[in-house]
Amino acid sequence: MLRNINPLLSPDLLHILAAMGHGDNLVIADANFPGEQIARANGCRYIRLDGILATDILKAVLELMPLDDFVKDPAYVMEVVGDAAQVPPVVTEFQTVIDEVADNPAPIAAVERFAFYDMSKQSYAIIQSGERRLYGNIIVKKGVVRL
């Protein structure tokens, strides 16, 4: 047991966050996302956090992990199929978490569904949440930990 660490961050997830390097991507996926299949096919690490909202996981992660400040877009979500301009409520909540918790707040970029899947295939790890809201998926890029 440790102090001052969000209890959503399991030992396996803490290990992943610590092992990730600058520029590595982390996917926080909703319950519908094909996370296990993508991870298995592409050698990504995979963790399930059933019953936990993706927004709560993002908050816990960003309390420990910096967003990359060397790139224009350190966070990506999936565009709504058929209506790229629509911003689902869960994405608005992701932005609020980033604005309130990240040490380097940045606007979230949106990419087409299959582009998001391709980006996920290049990720270091995928966290499969219990998020049931549609489009509750986000990719965040780890930044440099500065002293």
Side-chain angles (χ1 to χ4, degrees), residues 5 10 12 18 81 86-87 91 97 99 129 147:
I5 293 179
S10 67
D12 290 336
V81 175
Q86 182 183 347
V87 179
V91 172
V97 170
D99 293 343
S129 75
L147 298 178

Side-chain angles (χ1 to χ4, degrees), residues 24-36:
D24 282 339
N25 285 340
L26 176 70
V27 177
I28 300 172
D30 67 24
N32 287 301
F33 190 79
E36 186 172 7

Side-chain angles (χ1 to χ4, degrees), residues 52 113 129:
I52 309 298
R113 175 182 172 209
S129 75

Side-chain angles (χ1 to χ4, degrees), residues 17-121:
L17 295 175
M20 288 175 65
H22 170 246
D24 282 339
N25 285 340
L26 176 70
V27 177
I28 300 172
D30 67 24
N32 287 301
F33 190 79
E36 186 172 7
Q37 185 275 331
I38 289 174
R40 190 177 326 124
N42 297 284
C44 305
R45 288 164 176 82
Y46 179 76
I47 290 186
R48 294 187 66 97
L49 292 179
D50 295 314
I52 309 298
L53 296 176
T55 49
D56 291 342
I57 296 168
L58 179 63
K59 180 180 185 295
V61 165
L62 292 181
E63 288 172 348
L64 299 181
M65 186 189 90
L67 279 180
D68 197 340
D69 60 356
F70 291 128
V71 296
K72 179 180 177 254
D73 297 314
Y76 290 90
V77 293
M78 184 186 297
E79 290 177 348
V80 173
V81 175
D83 188 0
Q86 182 183 347
V87 179
V90 68
V91 172
T92 301
E93 285 186 45
F94 283 145
Q95 187 64 65
T96 298
V97 170
I98 288 172
D99 293 343
E100 293 177 356
V101 179
D103 55 346
N104 178 41
I108 297 171
V111 295
E112 184 273 335
R113 175 182 172 209
F114 291 106
F116 189 92
Y117 288 154
D118 288 341
M119 291 175 72
S120 298
K121 293 173 185 176

